[in-house]
């Protein structure tokens, strides 16, 4: 594509050996000290030092796309063992004033809706397919065929590609939910972790912990202030925030310092902690108080894991912690169980091949192996080589190796289970069928000598689902007594599910004293001299860095520049005085005036704010009030509707309307019922688009797609 006749600048190629390691970059000194510069300046230095700017950045100045390539330790591409595996980080610098999305939905639901709209947003993206948003090739918006940017017309469908088509494609990337990593940070240092997809989410090499480690290091180095994350992840088919809270006392993101941020339905941090403790400490003995009733399957499974554990399993936390440990150990060892040094090694599966096998193909191979094992008389064992040879014509070798590797512990249709062992004498892996009775519990034995037996991954995941639905999930929780304890358990589980917003405060403003440093770092707060009817709220403080000999005049200039740079509504802000230091000459040195103080408050004006009022808050320009009976006073991302009399918003659930139920046609709140006869409730619902304002950030890609009314 040729735009304005300007040639496209080619991106310089880098030797792979020179690339930084994704697993260690960016390096930190480990001291935990705050970075010397605020985010607004650190990000520019970071991009200048590490990133390249490939096309289409030259075409879209409002969406500058930077690119950084990484190697992943010593990992190599599966197709070529000599080619190092690379990961591309895209940093999209979004000019908010010219963006299609002005307001931020995430800020609105985590309590930052009062922050003024920032001038820039920086998206940090690692795509699942390993490619980059920047580059010379883009798909045709009409037929999807790949085009070079120099081509203005598609050869397949004859569609003429325009700059708008390229811009549409970039915005589509910002809404893609398949990225391995997508974090966004506003110019003021407040950010949101939108998604992390590890191996279960489509990553071929990077685990979720690798991606989180990288993101956490990046935030520390860049001076990010706070990051929120909405935890709606599922693992093993369960709400992982509930499962992890029971086993660890905090969500999965808590391993990186994320704590309770904002609870839906006015839930507090204390309520969250109390719910975790209440649900986790329910004794297992309560599920065995059935009098003379026959033992249930749930009781049998709990008893089995209690007998399997070396430590006593007393409560729900003990049970789930032990089960999760077995799943983790089984998953960790499954890739090396057959490749053990005492066994004959199987041929490794080619990376990525598993994705091309269907469930039906795997089941067909498994059934063929079951038939071979059934044909063996008595308790004889069948070596892996014999079994593989017997079914060699059923499927390709890689699929056979995979199925042999996972065969141990699988259940056959006739109530038999496959037992696998490594023969201590020959070192050969062997299989046979045994009855899947209660004493066996589907475990896999490693040899004939007495050993600790462990359930197969299939059995573990089946039992995890059983325990989660029976003991944890509030909608499917088993009916047990005493009733008061069960009601408390349901209430606690509901609270944990309702707590989705978590936050990490990196505290970059926690600086050392200005004495003993070559620079002066101050936390600067702003106050307007001429507050208008727009009621622009005071923004968060900004960190400013001054030389040691800086004067009051320098401080005012730097403070003005900082707030002009970060916030659109303060583009014309001018600092005029320091609060508490009126009458001080501008030539006075800051270090002599402030001493060891680490903060300062400046007062100033914003002349000529015409046209900037729409940027005053992230919540948007519409005025609305939330006042729900649960205590919520602000938008928390849950479904709401407004009273048709007073216009105040409250949760549909708190009004007795289930989330899956339709919203009634008219609703009058309890405060207005004295003057208005209550009829069948409803009206506009908060997750319905009742506004013509489409300036909500991130569009439909956000985990909470609720739009401002």
């Amino acid at each position: 594509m040729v735009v304005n006749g300007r040639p496209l600048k080619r991106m310089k190629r880098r030797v792979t050996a020179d690339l930084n390691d994704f697993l260690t970059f960016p390096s930190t000194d480990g001291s935990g000290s705050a970075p010397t510069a605020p985010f607004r300046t650190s990000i520019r230095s970071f991009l200048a030092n590490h990133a390249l700017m490939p096309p289409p950045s030259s075409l879209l100045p409002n969406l500058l796309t930077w690119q950084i390539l990484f190697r992943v330790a010593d990992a190599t591409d599966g197709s070529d063992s000599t080619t190092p595996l690379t990961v591309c980080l895209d940093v999209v610098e979004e000019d908010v004033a010219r963006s299609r999305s002005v307001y931020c939905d995430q800020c609105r639901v985590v309590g930052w809706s009062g922050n003024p709209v920032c001038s820039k947003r920086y998206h940090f993206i690692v795509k699942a397919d390993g490619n980059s948003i920047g580059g010379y090739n883009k798909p045709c918006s009409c037929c999807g065929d790949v085009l070079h940017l120099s081509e203005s017309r598609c050869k397949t469908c004859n569609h003429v590609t325009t700059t708008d088509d390229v811009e549409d494609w970039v915005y589509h990337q910002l809404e893609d939910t398949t990225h391995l990593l997508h974090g966004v940070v506003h110019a003021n240092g407040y950010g949101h972790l939108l998604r992390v997809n590890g191996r279960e989410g489509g990553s071929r090499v990077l685990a979720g912990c690798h991606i989180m480690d990288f993101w956490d290091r990046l935030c520390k180095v860049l001076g990010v202030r706070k990051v929120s994350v909405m935890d709606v992840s599922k693992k093993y088919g369960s709400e992982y925030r509930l499962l992890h809270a029971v086993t660890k006392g905090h969500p999965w993101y808590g391993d990186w310092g994320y704590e309770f941020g904002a609870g839906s339905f006015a839930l507090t941090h204390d309520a969250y902690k109390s719910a975790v403790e209440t649900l986790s400490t329910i004794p297992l003995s309560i599920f065995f108080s059935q009098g003379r009733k026959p033992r249930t399957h749930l009781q049998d499974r709990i008893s089995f894991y209690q007998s399997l554990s070396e430590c006593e399993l007393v409560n729900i936390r003990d049970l789930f912690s032990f089960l999760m440990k077995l799943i983790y150990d089984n998953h960790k060892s499954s890739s090396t169980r057959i490749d053990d040094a005492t066994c004959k090694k199987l041929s490794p599966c080619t990376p990525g091949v598993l994705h091309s096998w269907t469930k039906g193909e795997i089941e067909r191979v498994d059934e063929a192996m079951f038939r071979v094992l059934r044909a063996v008389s008595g308790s004889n064992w069948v070596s892996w080589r014999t079994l593989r040879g017997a079914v060699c014509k059923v499927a390709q070798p890689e699929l056979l190796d995979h199925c042999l590797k996972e065969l141990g512990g699988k259940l056959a249709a006739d109530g038999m289970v496959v037992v696998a062992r490594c023969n201590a004498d020959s070192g050969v892996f062997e299989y046979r069928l045994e009855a899947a009775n209660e004493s066996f519990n589907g475990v896999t034995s490693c040899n004939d000598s007495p050993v600790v037996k462990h359930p197969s991954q299939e059995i573990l995941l089946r039992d995890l689902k059983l325990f989660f639905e029976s003991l944890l999930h509030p909608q499917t929780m088993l009916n047990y007594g005493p009733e008061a304890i069960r009601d408390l358990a349901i209430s606690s589980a509901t609270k944990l599910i309702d707590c989705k917003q978590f936050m990490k405060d990196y505290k970059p403003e926690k600086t050392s004293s200005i004495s003993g440093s070559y620079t002066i770092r101050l936390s600067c707060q702003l106050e307007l001299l001429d507050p208008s009817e727009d009621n622009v709220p005071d923004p968060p403080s900004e960190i400013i860095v001054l030389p040691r000999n800086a004067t009051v005049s320098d401080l005012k200039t730097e403070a003005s520049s900082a707030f002009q740079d970060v916030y659109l509504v303060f583009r014309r802000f001018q600092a005029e005085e320091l609060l508490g230091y009126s009458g001080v000459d501008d030539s006075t040195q800051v270090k002599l005036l402030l001493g060891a103080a680490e903060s300062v408050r400046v007062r100033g004006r914003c002349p000529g704010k015409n046209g900037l009022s729409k940027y005053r808050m992230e919540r948007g320009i519409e005025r609305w009030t939330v006042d729900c009976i649960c205590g919520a006073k602000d938008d928390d991302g849950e479904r709401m509707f407004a009273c048709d009399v007073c216009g105040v918003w409250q949760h549909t659930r708190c009004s007795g309307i289930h989330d899956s139920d339709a919203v009634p046609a008219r609703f009058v709140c309890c405060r207005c019922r004295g003057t208005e006869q209550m009829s069948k409730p409803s009206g506009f619902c908060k997750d319905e688009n009742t506004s013509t304002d489409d300036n909500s950030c991130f569009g439909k890609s956000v985990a909470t797609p609720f739009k401002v009314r």
Side-chain angles (χ1 to χ4, degrees):
M1 181 192 305
V2 179
V3 180
N4 298 331
R6 294 183 298 175
L8 297 175
K9 182 179 178 182
R10 289 190 174 274
M11 183 178 64
K12 292 185 287 186
R13 300 179 65 88
R14 295 189 60 178
V15 179
T16 308
D18 296 335
L19 300 179
N20 291 302
D21 186 358
F22 185 89
L23 303 183
T24 59
F25 180 90
S27 61
T28 57
D29 57 11
S31 62
S33 60
T36 57
F39 174 79
R40 65 179 185 275
T41 55
S42 293
I43 183 61
R44 292 167 181 161
S45 301
F46 176 82
L47 294 176
N49 293 333
H50 301 288
L52 300 172
M53 188 184 293
S57 295
S58 58
L59 309 179
L60 305 174
N62 61 314
L63 289 169
L64 296 179
T65 304
W66 305 78
Q67 182 188 97
I68 308 177
L69 280 176
F70 299 96
R71 58 182 174 84
V72 183
D74 297 324
T76 57
D77 194 326
S79 60
D80 184 357
S81 60
T82 63
T83 303
L85 189 66
T86 58
V87 171
C88 181
L89 172 69
D90 288 314
V91 183
V92 180
E93 181 181 345
E94 183 181 8
D95 187 345
V96 177
R98 293 187 288 177
S99 173
R100 299 177 182 178
S101 305
V102 174
Y103 307 117
C104 178
D105 284 328
Q106 281 79 14
C107 282
R108 194 182 75 238
V109 299
V110 298
W112 303 340
S113 62
N115 287 357
V117 177
C118 290
S119 59
K120 301 281 188 181
R121 282 194 292 258
Y122 295 88
H123 298 260
F124 300 85
I125 296 174
V126 176
K127 294 186 64 179
D129 59 10
N131 296 323
S132 170
I133 294 177
Y136 293 95
N137 297 318
K138 293 291 176 287
C140 172
S141 60
C142 184
C143 68
D145 282 1
V146 177
L147 300 177
H148 193 276
L149 285 180
S150 61
E151 299 174 326
S152 59
R153 187 182 298 272
C154 178
K155 296 179 181 178
T156 303
C157 66
N158 212 33
H159 174 73
V160 177
T161 303
T162 65
T163 305
D164 290 339
D165 291 331
V166 179
E167 184 176 14
D168 289 341
W169 185 84
V170 175
Y171 273 112
H172 175 72
Q173 301 306 303
L174 301 185
E175 299 176 357
D176 195 330
T177 60
T178 65
H179 298 319
L180 303 187
L181 168 67
H182 187 182
V184 60
V185 182
H186 300 276
N188 61 0
Y190 286 72
H192 314 281
L193 181 56
L194 301 183
R195 60 191 51 88
V196 172
N197 286 315
R199 290 194 175 99
E200 291 188 2
S203 174
R204 185 162 61 94
V205 174
L206 296 174
C209 59
H210 296 149
I211 300 172
M212 280 300 301
D213 287 341
F214 172 81
W215 170 252
D216 196 50
R217 291 192 304 269
L218 190 64
C219 290
K220 291 176 181 177
V221 168
L222 292 180
V224 173
R225 303 171 76 170
K226 293 182 179 181
V227 176
S228 73
V229 60
M230 172 173 277
D231 188 359
V232 291
S233 58
K234 285 182 175 288
K235 193 168 186 178
Y236 311 123
S238 307
E239 283 78 5
Y240 200 42
R241 64 186 179 280
L242 173 57
L243 183 60
H244 205 280
V246 168
T247 57
K248 301 293 185 181
H250 55 74
W252 180 72
Y253 297 97
D255 292 343
W256 290 269
Y258 286 78
E259 300 177 342
F260 176 90
S264 300
F265 306 100
L267 291 174
T268 63
H269 190 196
D270 289 339
Y272 176 80
K273 292 192 298 183
S274 176
V276 170
E277 188 64 21
T278 298
L279 190 59
S280 303
T281 56
I282 292 178
L284 296 177
S285 59
I286 200 172
F287 303 108
F288 291 88
S289 303
Q290 303 292 331
R292 295 187 176 183
K293 294 181 180 180
R295 285 174 63 92
T296 64
H297 178 61
L298 175 66
Q299 293 171 334
D300 288 338
R301 301 314 296 167
I302 294 176
S303 298
F304 166 66
Y305 287 102
Q306 286 178 324
S307 65
L308 192 64
S309 174
E310 296 180 358
C311 302
E312 185 179 6
L313 304 184
V314 177
N315 52 39
I316 286 182
R317 173 176 291 163
D318 295 339
L319 175 64
F320 279 94
S321 297
F322 179 64
L323 188 56
M324 293 298 291
K325 181 179 183 301
L326 291 179
I327 292 174
Y328 174 79
D329 292 344
N330 189 291
H331 177 75
K332 185 177 180 181
S333 62
S334 63
S335 59
T336 58
R337 187 179 298 151
I338 297 180
D339 293 333
D340 189 83
T342 62
C343 302
K344 303 296 184 182
K345 294 189 176 181
L346 299 179
S347 301
C349 296
T350 304
V353 174
L354 179 59
H355 298 289
S356 64
W357 300 328
T358 65
K359 181 180 180 181
E361 290 174 328
I362 295 176
E363 290 178 348
R364 188 179 73 252
V365 175
D366 287 343
E367 186 56 39
M369 293 181 179
F370 292 157
R371 288 197 297 268
V372 174
L373 294 177
R374 290 191 193 102
V376 177
S377 61
S379 59
N380 293 329
W381 293 89
V382 180
S383 69
W384 76 267
R385 186 180 298 275
T386 302
L387 184 56
R388 190 178 189 276
V391 297
C392 63
K393 295 183 179 181
V394 176
Q396 56 184 317
E398 292 84 2
L399 178 54
L400 295 178
D401 288 341
H402 168 76
C403 292
L404 281 167
K405 188 176 182 181
E406 302 295 329
L407 190 60
K410 285 195 173 182
L411 298 174
D414 52 359
M416 305 293 282
V417 68
V418 179
V419 179
R421 74 171 187 179
C422 182
N423 191 298
D425 297 326
S426 62
V428 174
F429 221 71
E430 300 174 332
Y431 306 87
R432 75 178 178 190
L433 289 175
E434 290 185 6
N437 51 38
E438 286 298 323
S439 62
F440 183 77
N441 284 291
V443 298
T444 303
S445 176
C446 292
N447 49 51
D448 286 333
S449 59
V451 293
V452 177
K453 296 183 177 183
H454 298 287
S456 67
Q457 192 79 344
E458 181 181 1
I459 300 296
L460 291 172
L461 295 180
R462 185 190 67 185
D463 288 340
L464 177 64
K465 181 180 180 181
L466 170 67
F467 292 153
F468 184 85
E469 293 178 350
S470 303
L471 308 180
L472 292 186
H473 200 284
Q475 296 180 1
T476 58
M477 191 175 294
L478 184 71
N479 188 11
Y480 61 86
E483 185 176 351
I485 296 180
R486 181 178 181 272
D487 291 343
L488 187 60
I490 292 177
S491 174
S492 299
T494 302
K495 290 177 181 178
L496 296 182
I497 289 180
D498 287 338
C499 291
K500 310 180 188 74
Q501 300 289 350
F502 299 93
M503 191 181 304
K504 180 169 182 177
D505 188 350
Y506 285 89
K507 297 182 173 62
E509 66 277 2
K510 293 287 184 180
T511 61
S512 57
S513 175
I514 60 175
S515 59
S517 173
Y518 294 106
T519 59
I520 302 175
R521 296 184 76 239
L522 294 172
S523 176
C524 183
Q525 296 176 302
L526 176 148
E527 182 179 303
L528 289 177
L529 279 168
D530 53 350
S532 63
E533 67 280 359
D534 291 334
N535 191 27
V536 178
D538 292 340
S541 60
E542 279 297 316
I543 295 176
I544 60 176
V545 182
L546 301 168
R548 288 280 293 169
N549 59 351
T551 64
V552 171
S553 177
D554 296 330
L555 191 156
K556 293 179 182 178
T557 301
E558 185 63 27
S560 300
S561 176
F563 287 100
Q564 290 172 7
D565 186 24
V566 172
Y567 298 106
L568 291 172
V569 74
F570 296 126
R571 276 181 169 177
R572 302 184 182 96
F573 173 74
Q574 294 294 328
E576 296 183 0
E577 62 176 293
L578 306 184
L579 268 69
Y581 300 97
S582 58
V584 175
D585 191 270
D586 282 355
S587 62
T588 305
Q589 288 194 354
V590 174
K591 64 180 180 181
L592 300 178
L593 180 66
L594 301 182
E598 297 180 356
S599 63
V600 64
R601 192 173 183 88
V602 299
R603 181 181 291 168
R605 304 177 189 274
C606 285
K609 290 183 293 184
N610 294 336
L612 299 179
S613 61
K614 68 177 181 179
Y615 303 124
R616 63 190 180 92
M617 285 190 292
E618 291 284 7
R619 67 185 293 178
I621 59 177
E622 296 185 0
R623 301 179 184 275
W624 40 266
T625 302
V626 174
D627 188 7
C628 186
I629 57 175
C630 68
K633 302 296 183 183
D634 202 354
D635 189 356
D636 58 7
E638 302 295 340
R639 193 170 72 152
M640 292 183 177
F641 61 171
C643 173
D644 288 295
V645 177
C646 64
V648 175
W649 294 80
Q650 58 185 281
H651 297 113
T652 54
R653 195 173 91 181
C654 294
S655 301
I657 302 173
H658 194 273
D659 289 341
S660 60
D661 294 340
V663 179
R666 179 174 172 77
F667 170 71
V668 179
C669 68
C670 58
R671 299 182 184 90
C672 300
R673 288 175 189 172
T675 58
E676 182 80 11
Q677 183 67 28
M678 178 69 175
S679 63
K680 191 176 181 179
S682 202
F684 289 126
C685 179
K686 188 171 74 64
D687 60 352
E688 295 174 350
N689 188 6
T690 63
S691 171
T692 57
D693 182 8
D694 289 330
N695 288 326
S696 180
C697 177
F698 314 121
K700 297 180 180 179
S701 69
V702 191
T704 53
F706 307 123
K707 295 188 175 182
V708 175
R709 298 145 292 273

